[in-house]
Amino acid sequence: MVEYLICFVLLLASTADSTLFTVKQIEKRDSVLTSKQQIDRLLRPGSSYFNLNPFEVLQIDPEATDEELKKRFRALSILVHPDKNQDDPDRAQLAFEAVDKAYKNLLDPEQKKRAVDVIQAGREYVEHNMKEKKKQLKKDGKPQFLEEDDPEMFRQAVYKQTMKLFAELEIKRKEREAKDMHERKRAREEEIETAEKAKREREWQKNFEETRDGRVDSWRSFQAGKSKAKKEKKPRSFLKPPKVKMEQRE
């Protein structure tokens, strides 16, 4: 299941390459997209995985300062705010929530460091693969040229690998969450069962105490009846043997 999701994420990343290239070109030209373009970007198919990278959501470099981050958030949140997109308020709200979540994640030093580490890991992975491929090409006596030598192709390779890493972390997080939920449910069920058992034992003890006097009285009555029957019992009579007459002699 996990492998299937990862393949799905990579497929989405591949289909998004042309869109990303267009986005980057527009960013270089005027730094912003229109409201509709931003909403479409943030809600495109696979956005639940695309938007795991807060820097990608805000379209800002990981090395940007806090002031630049704050400025970018303000500009982007205005573009996608529901009040500014009353013709499509529901989708605008979802886009705004994605932007707000990304901004809050980057305000948290721990979350920001985590995102930076994932991006760095993606870059290092691609660079390592490139070195290994060139070693093999050299060994085979072939030209040591790769597609990733082109800066844009390298960026796209890093983007896809970074997205894969973010997806893997998210899938593992959900698995842990599901496991924790299962454990909490099982513990709760055991807790309820223990409470029910204790309740049954208390009720049994209560019923035992409440009926004890009745049982004692019944026993006493039973013993008294036996004693009375014993006293009223007639003495046993025995048959007396006949007297032997003495024989008289003439």
Side-chain angles (χ1 to χ4, degrees), residues 23 27 30-33 38 41 54-61 64-79 99 103:
V23 168
E27 284 179 334
D30 55 16
S31 300
V32 297
L33 298 175
Q38 286 289 4
R41 177 182 71 87
F55 294 105
E56 190 68 31
V57 171
L58 297 178
Q59 296 179 312
I60 194 169
D61 192 275
T65 65
D66 290 344
E67 185 60 31
E68 291 172 331
L69 175 63
K70 186 176 182 180
K71 182 179 179 181
R72 180 59 185 159
F73 166 70
R74 286 178 176 175
L76 191 54
S77 61
I78 290 174
L79 279 175
V99 171
Y103 179 61

Coordinates of all heavy atoms in Angstrom, one line a residue, residues 23 27 30-33 38 41 54-61 64-79 99 103:
V23 N 5.2 28.0 -13.4 CA 5.1 28.7 -12.2 C 6.4 29.4 -11.9 O 6.4 30.6 -11.6 CB 4.7 27.8 -11.0 CG1 4.9 28.5 -9.7 CG2 3.3 27.3 -11.2
E27 N 7.1 33.4 -11.6 CA 7.7 34.0 -10.4 C 8.8 34.9 -10.7 O 9.0 35.9 -10.1 CB 8.1 32.8 -9.5 CG 7.0 32.1 -8.7 CD 7.5 31.0 -7.9 OE1 8.6 30.5 -8.1 OE2 6.8 30.7 -6.9
D30 N 7.1 38.2 -12.3 CA 6.4 39.2 -11.5 C 6.1 38.7 -10.1 O 5.3 39.4 -9.3 CB 5.0 39.5 -12.2 CG 4.2 38.3 -12.5 OD1 4.5 37.2 -11.9 OD2 3.2 38.4 -13.3
S31 N 6.7 37.6 -9.7 CA 6.6 37.1 -8.3 C 5.3 36.6 -7.8 O 5.2 36.0 -6.8 CB 7.1 38.2 -7.3 OG 8.4 38.5 -7.6
V32 N 4.2 36.9 -8.5 CA 2.9 36.4 -8.1 C 2.1 35.8 -9.3 O 2.4 36.2 -10.4 CB 2.1 37.5 -7.4 CG1 2.8 38.0 -6.2 CG2 1.8 38.6 -8.4
L33 N 1.1 35.0 -8.9 CA 0.2 34.5 -9.9 C -1.2 35.2 -9.6 O -1.3 35.8 -8.6 CB 0.0 33.0 -9.8 CG 1.2 32.1 -10.1 CD1 0.9 30.7 -9.8 CD2 1.7 32.3 -11.5
Q38 N -3.4 30.8 -8.3 CA -2.9 30.4 -7.0 C -3.9 29.4 -6.4 O -3.4 28.3 -5.9 CB -2.7 31.6 -6.1 CG -1.5 32.4 -6.4 CD -0.2 31.7 -6.1 OE1 -0.2 30.6 -5.7 NE2 0.9 32.5 -6.2
R41 N -3.4 26.2 -8.3 CA -2.1 25.6 -7.9 C -2.2 24.8 -6.6 O -1.7 23.7 -6.5 CB -1.0 26.6 -7.9 CG 0.3 26.1 -7.4 CD 1.4 27.2 -7.3 NE 1.1 28.1 -6.2 CZ 1.6 27.9 -5.0 NH1 2.3 26.8 -4.7 NH2 1.3 28.7 -4.0
P54 N 6.0 23.2 3.0 CA 5.5 24.5 3.2 C 6.2 25.6 2.3 O 5.6 26.6 2.0 CB 5.8 24.7 4.7 CG 6.9 23.8 5.0 CD 6.7 22.6 4.2
F55 N 7.5 25.3 2.0 CA 8.2 26.3 1.1 C 7.6 26.3 -0.3 O 7.5 27.3 -0.9 CB 9.7 26.0 1.1 CG 10.4 26.1 2.3 CD1 10.8 25.0 3.1 CD2 10.7 27.4 2.8 CE1 11.5 25.2 4.3 CE2 11.4 27.5 4.0 CZ 11.8 26.4 4.8
E56 N 7.1 25.1 -0.7 CA 6.5 25.0 -2.0 C 5.1 25.7 -2.0 O 4.8 26.4 -3.0 CB 6.4 23.6 -2.4 CG 6.0 23.3 -3.9 CD 7.1 23.7 -4.8 OE1 8.3 23.6 -4.5 OE2 6.7 24.2 -6.0
V57 N 4.4 25.6 -0.9 CA 3.1 26.2 -0.8 C 3.2 27.7 -0.9 O 2.5 28.4 -1.6 CB 2.4 25.8 0.5 CG1 1.1 26.6 0.7 CG2 2.1 24.3 0.5
L58 N 4.2 28.2 -0.2 CA 4.4 29.7 -0.2 C 5.3 30.2 -1.3 O 5.4 31.4 -1.4 CB 5.0 30.1 1.2 CG 4.1 29.8 2.4 CD1 4.9 30.2 3.7 CD2 2.8 30.5 2.3
Q59 N 5.8 29.3 -2.1 CA 6.7 29.7 -3.2 C 7.8 30.6 -2.7 O 8.0 31.7 -3.2 CB 5.9 30.3 -4.3 CG 4.9 29.4 -5.0 CD 4.1 30.1 -6.0 OE1 3.6 31.2 -5.8 NE2 3.9 29.5 -7.2
I60 N 8.5 30.1 -1.7 CA 9.6 30.9 -1.2 C 10.8 30.0 -0.9 O 10.7 28.8 -0.6 CB 9.2 31.6 0.2 CG1 10.1 32.7 0.6 CG2 9.0 30.5 1.3 CD1 9.6 33.5 1.7
D61 N 12.0 30.6 -1.0 CA 13.2 29.8 -0.8 C 13.5 29.5 0.6 O 13.2 30.3 1.5 CB 14.4 30.7 -1.3 CG 15.7 29.9 -1.4 OD1 16.4 29.7 -0.4 OD2 16.0 29.4 -2.6
A64 N 15.1 32.0 2.9 CA 14.4 33.3 3.0 C 14.4 33.8 4.5 O 14.3 32.9 5.4 CB 13.0 33.3 2.5
T65 N 14.5 35.1 4.7 CA 14.5 35.6 6.1 C 13.0 35.5 6.6 O 12.1 35.4 5.9 CB 15.0 37.0 6.1 OG1 14.1 37.9 5.4 CG2 16.4 37.1 5.6
D66 N 12.9 35.7 7.9 CA 11.6 35.7 8.6 C 10.7 36.9 8.0 O 9.5 36.8 7.8 CB 11.7 35.9 10.1 CG 12.3 34.6 10.7 OD1 12.3 33.6 10.1 OD2 12.7 34.7 11.9
E67 N 11.4 38.0 7.7 CA 10.7 39.2 7.2 C 10.2 38.9 5.8 O 9.0 39.2 5.4 CB 11.6 40.4 7.2 CG 10.9 41.7 6.7 CD 9.8 42.1 7.7 OE1 9.8 41.8 8.9 OE2 8.8 42.7 7.1
E68 N 11.0 38.2 5.0 CA 10.6 37.8 3.6 C 9.4 36.8 3.7 O 8.5 36.9 2.9 CB 11.8 37.2 2.9 CG 12.8 38.3 2.5 CD 14.1 37.6 1.9 OE1 14.4 36.5 2.3 OE2 14.8 38.3 1.1
L69 N 9.5 35.9 4.6 CA 8.5 34.9 4.8 C 7.2 35.6 5.2 O 6.1 35.2 4.6 CB 8.9 33.9 5.9 CG 7.9 32.9 6.3 CD1 7.5 32.0 5.2 CD2 8.4 32.1 7.5
K70 N 7.2 36.5 6.1 CA 6.0 37.2 6.5 C 5.4 38.0 5.4 O 4.2 38.0 5.2 CB 6.4 38.2 7.7 CG 5.2 38.9 8.3 CD 5.6 39.7 9.5 CE 4.5 40.4 10.2 NZ 4.9 41.2 11.4
K71 N 6.2 38.7 4.6 CA 5.8 39.5 3.5 C 5.1 38.6 2.4 O 4.1 38.9 1.9 CB 7.0 40.2 2.9 CG 6.6 41.1 1.7 CD 7.8 41.9 1.2 CE 7.5 42.7 0.0 NZ 8.7 43.5 -0.5
R72 N 5.7 37.4 2.2 CA 5.2 36.5 1.2 C 3.8 35.9 1.6 O 2.9 35.8 0.8 CB 6.2 35.4 0.9 CG 5.7 34.3 -0.1 CD 5.5 35.0 -1.4 NE 4.9 34.0 -2.4 CZ 4.2 34.4 -3.4 NH1 4.0 35.7 -3.7 NH2 3.8 33.5 -4.3
F73 N 3.7 35.6 2.9 CA 2.5 35.1 3.4 C 1.4 36.1 3.3 O 0.3 35.8 2.9 CB 2.6 34.7 4.9 CG 1.3 34.5 5.6 CD1 0.6 33.4 5.3 CD2 0.8 35.4 6.5 CE1 -0.7 33.1 5.9 CE2 -0.4 35.2 7.2 CZ -1.1 34.0 6.9
R74 N 1.6 37.3 3.6 CA 0.6 38.4 3.5 C 0.1 38.5 2.0 O -1.1 38.6 1.8 CB 1.2 39.7 4.0 CG 1.3 39.8 5.5 CD 1.9 41.2 5.9 NE 1.9 41.3 7.4 CZ 2.5 42.3 8.0 NH1 3.1 43.3 7.2 NH2 2.5 42.4 9.3
A75 N 1.1 38.6 1.1 CA 0.7 38.7 -0.3 C -0.1 37.6 -0.8 O -1.1 37.7 -1.5 CB 2.0 38.9 -1.1
L76 N 0.3 36.4 -0.5 CA -0.4 35.2 -1.0 C -1.7 35.0 -0.3 O -2.7 34.6 -1.0 CB 0.5 33.9 -0.7 CG 0.1 32.6 -1.4 CD1 -0.1 32.8 -2.9 CD2 1.1 31.5 -1.2
S77 N -1.8 35.2 1.0 CA -3.1 35.0 1.7 C -4.1 36.0 1.2 O -5.3 35.7 1.2 CB -2.8 35.2 3.2 OG -2.4 36.5 3.5
I78 N -3.7 37.2 0.8 CA -4.7 38.2 0.3 C -5.2 37.7 -1.1 O -6.4 37.8 -1.4 CB -4.0 39.6 0.1 CG1 -3.7 40.2 1.5 CG2 -4.8 40.5 -0.7 CD1 -2.9 41.5 1.4
L79 N -4.3 37.1 -1.9 CA -4.7 36.6 -3.2 C -5.8 35.5 -3.1 O -6.7 35.5 -3.9 CB -3.5 36.1 -4.0 CG -2.6 37.1 -4.7 CD1 -1.4 36.4 -5.3 CD2 -3.4 37.8 -5.7
V99 N -2.3 27.8 2.8 CA -1.3 28.9 2.9 C -1.1 29.2 4.4 O 0.1 29.3 4.9 CB -1.7 30.1 2.2 CG1 -0.8 31.3 2.5 CG2 -1.8 29.9 0.7
Y103 N 2.5 28.6 6.5 CA 3.1 29.7 7.2 C 3.3 29.4 8.7 O 4.4 29.6 9.3 CB 2.2 31.0 7.1 CG 2.8 32.2 7.8 CD1 4.0 32.7 7.5 CD2 2.0 32.8 8.8 CE1 4.5 33.9 8.1 CE2 2.5 33.9 9.4 CZ 3.7 34.5 9.1 OH 4.2 35.6 9.7

